[in-house]
Amino acid sequence: VVWKPSPYGAAVAELIASCWREAGLPSGALQVVQGDASTARLVMREPEISAVTLSGGMAAGYLARAICARRGIPLQAELG
């Protein structure tokens, strides 16, 4: 899993990932990638990414839909 949290939730994402590691999650099973919208676009375009789940606004959803449709990968989105 590659998790690109909102910049506003960066510290919380790192804390949650740390808890998962302490609980025994296998190394490499979860990667937290910090950044902004441009980082999210890069992550969604990576060939190793096979599906996208998104919580965000409508603009983010439209962008994710276009990227995922071009790549032919599933998108699950909770918007607004």
Side-chain angles (χ1 to χ4, degrees):
V1 172
V2 177
W3 181 11
K4 204 304 284 167
S6 163
Y8 301 111
V12 172
E14 292 294 347
L15 180 61
I16 291 171
S18 175
C19 290
W20 278 107
R21 285 190 289 276
E22 288 177 24
L25 187 69
S27 179
L30 172 63
Q31 292 180 286
V32 178
V33 177
Q34 302 294 353
D36 57 12
S38 63
T39 305
R41 287 191 295 273
L42 290 172
V43 169
M44 287 187 283
R45 289 183 175 121
E46 278 296 312
E48 294 84 14
I49 300 299
S50 59
V52 173
T53 297
L54 167 75
S55 291
M58 294 299 293
Y62 290 138
L63 177 66
R65 180 178 66 181
I67 291 170
C68 292
R70 266 187 246 119
R71 294 196 52 228
I73 62 172
L75 169 65
Q76 173 187 323
E78 183 279 316
L79 305 173

